């Protein structure tokens, strides 16, 4: 293919398809397919991108009670993408992002990977982040619930580690557009562990992830969930938006329903996928680099989430698999099963929680 012309096209041919001359610097690095997806699904128009951003910025004066600590173009753009370029909704999300941080100051003190609480959670696999994206370009996050050692990690620190991870990942414009998938494996998650998930801390997580963060979640998938997880859902349901409820799926141990939405070639063997079992230390090594340690003694690093980009490419040696002491998945490969042919044949292939 020859070089792309930067000259204006004749008016009769001035269509979006292939017209990369419209692309602003804010779209630099995006693939043509992703730019087209942003146009079709998010209403992103490069001709008025800067005007859209400025209109959101102009609304800041209406909320003098909130300290908007970052208002640059690239930052505001992720909020517009998260709300499909509805400017009022994007500003509401931007305001809630900073308000959540003002109301929960303790959560965001030393909000770095080397914070002892965050570091412990990362080392224990909260969250897991798969290297490759799914067939829609979405990043897949994993939570193995039974790995929660409540004597070692508070729920708040796990939530902080998840939010910090999302801050790092959302720097990638492709993920601002394509979004994320979350899989929660409840295998061996005890009733005693579940009893620690109080309404107040679940509400804190929902506010932080659903209402105050500029990420597009394409689905939250529960697997191997026990009955008391259903009970927990009744507690959190009033706090969930209808759109969120429709994206929460309950699979039990049915691989077929999971694979209809996430192809096996993108999943580790714990979920019936063709990839090797997930190494719980992968993401922690990516963020912590040479300071990664699977022990209880923690060193410090100068890592700051707001300045990390393309970390794994700079840490290939640290990102390579190595034996884990604490952070192996407690879920054995093959725990989930394929439904027998004809089983539940009158049911939908995927059961949503509601």
């Amino acid at each position: 293919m020859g070089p792309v012309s930067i000259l204006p096209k004749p008016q009769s041919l001035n269509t979006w398809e292939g017209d990369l001359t419209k692309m602003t610097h804010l779209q630099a690095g995006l693939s043509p397919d992703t730019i087209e997806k942003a146009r079709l699904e998010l209403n992103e128009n490069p001709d008025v991108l800067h005007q859209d951003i400025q209109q959101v910025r102009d609304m800041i004066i209406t909320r003098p009670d909130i300290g908007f600590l970052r208002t640059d173009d690239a930052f505001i753009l992720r909020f517009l993408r998260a709300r499909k370029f509805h400017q009022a909704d994007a500003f509401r999300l931007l305001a809630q992002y900073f308000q959540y941080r003002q109301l929960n100051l303790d959560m965001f003190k030393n909000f770095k990977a080397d914070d002892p609480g965050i570091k412990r959670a990362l080392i224990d696999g909260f969250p897991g982040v798969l290297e490759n994206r799914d067939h829609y370009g979405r990043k897949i996050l994993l939570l193995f619930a039974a790995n929660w050692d409540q004597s070692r990690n508070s729920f708040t620190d796990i939530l902080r580690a998840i939010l910090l991870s999302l801050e790092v990942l959302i720097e990638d414009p492709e993920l601002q557009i394509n979004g994320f998938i979350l899989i929660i494996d409840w295998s061996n998650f005890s009733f005693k562990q579940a009893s620690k998930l109080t309404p107040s801390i679940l509400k804190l997580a929902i506010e932080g992830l659903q209402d105050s963060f500029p990420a597009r979640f394409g689905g939250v998938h529960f697997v191997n969930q026990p009955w008391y997880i259903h009970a927990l859902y009744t507690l959190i349901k009033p706090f969930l938006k209808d759109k969120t409820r429709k994206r929460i799926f309950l699979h039990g141990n049915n691989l077929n329903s999971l694979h209809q939405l996430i192809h096996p070639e993108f999943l580790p063997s714990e979920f019936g996928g063709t990839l090797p079992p997930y190494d719980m230390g992968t993401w922690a090594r990516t963020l912590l680099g040479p300071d990664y340690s699977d022990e209880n003694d923690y060193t410090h690093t100068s890592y700051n989430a707001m300045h990390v980009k393309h970390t794994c490419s700079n840490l290939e040696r640290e990102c390579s698999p190595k034996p884990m002491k604490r952070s192996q998945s407690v879920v054995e490969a093959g725990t989930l099963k394929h439904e027998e042919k004809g089983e539940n044949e009158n049911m939908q292939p995927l059961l949503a929680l509601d």
Side-chain angles (χ1 to χ4, degrees), residues 262-289:
I262 308 174
H263 297 169
E265 58 264 34
F266 303 109
L267 294 171
S269 59
E270 293 93 331
F271 304 103
T274 59
L275 299 177
Y278 182 68
D279 175 359
M280 288 297 190
T282 300
W283 182 240
R285 284 192 295 273
T286 301
L287 294 190
L288 294 167

Side-chain angles (χ1 to χ4, degrees), residues 78-98:
R78 66 187 62 171
F79 291 86
L80 281 163
R81 285 169 169 162
R83 290 297 180 263
K84 296 187 175 182
F85 279 79
H86 296 139
Q87 294 161 4
D89 292 344
F91 173 71
R92 189 176 301 112
L93 180 61
L94 177 68
Q96 288 171 172
Y97 174 90
F98 286 113

Side-chain angles (χ1 to χ4, degrees), residues 56-57 59-72 75-76 90-99 102:
V56 172
R57 189 182 287 115
M59 298 179 193
I60 289 175
I61 195 173
T62 67
R63 293 298 305 270
D65 56 313
I66 295 176
F68 292 86
L69 303 181
R70 184 178 171 187
T71 59
D72 57 275
F75 188 71
I76 291 177
F91 173 71
R92 189 176 301 112
L93 180 61
L94 177 68
Q96 288 171 172
Y97 174 90
F98 286 113
Q99 186 175 45
Q102 285 182 193

Side-chain angles (χ1 to χ4, degrees), residues 123-144:
I123 288 172
D124 285 1
F126 295 106
V129 180
L130 295 184
E131 180 180 356
N132 296 323
R133 303 170 188 182
D134 77 349
H135 53 294
Y136 291 118
R138 301 173 296 191
K139 201 70 170 174
I140 301 175
L141 278 62
L142 307 175
L143 294 176
F144 293 93

Side-chain angles (χ1 to χ4, degrees), residues 125-256:
F126 295 106
V129 180
L130 295 184
E131 180 180 356
N132 296 323
R133 303 170 188 182
D134 77 349
H135 53 294
Y136 291 118
R138 301 173 296 191
K139 201 70 170 174
I140 301 175
L141 278 62
L142 307 175
L143 294 176
F144 293 93
N147 276 6
W148 181 20
D149 180 347
Q150 295 171 349
S151 67
R152 177 174 161 87
N153 294 311
S154 70
F155 181 87
T156 301
D157 281 338
I158 289 175
L159 177 59
R160 293 172 72 217
I162 293 170
L163 288 170
L164 177 67
S165 298
L166 287 170
E167 290 282 5
V168 174
L169 293 166
I170 204 66
E171 289 287 329
D172 184 343
E174 292 269 345
L175 294 180
Q176 295 172 20
I177 295 166
N178 293 324
F180 300 86
I181 291 290
L182 175 62
I183 305 176
I184 307 176
D185 190 343
W186 298 99
S187 300
N188 302 320
F189 188 70
S190 69
F191 184 85
K192 182 179 179 181
Q193 286 174 302
S195 68
K196 303 296 184 182
L197 296 174
T198 63
S200 60
I201 63 174
L202 290 172
K203 184 172 182 288
L204 182 69
I206 292 165
E207 289 173 347
L209 295 169
Q210 172 190 258
D211 302 325
S212 308
F213 196 83
R216 305 183 67 211
F217 282 96
V220 178
H221 301 270
F222 287 10
V223 299
N224 286 327
Q225 70 283 346
W227 65 267
Y228 37 86
I229 295 304
H230 290 267
L232 280 175
Y233 177 69
T234 65
L235 293 177
I236 68 172
K237 191 172 182 178
F239 305 120
L240 297 177
K241 297 175 181 176
D242 183 61
K243 185 176 182 180
T244 302
R245 288 198 297 269
K246 290 178 179 178
R247 292 180 177 177
I248 298 178
F249 302 100
L250 177 64
H251 299 280
N253 61 1
N254 177 12
L255 279 176
N256 291 334

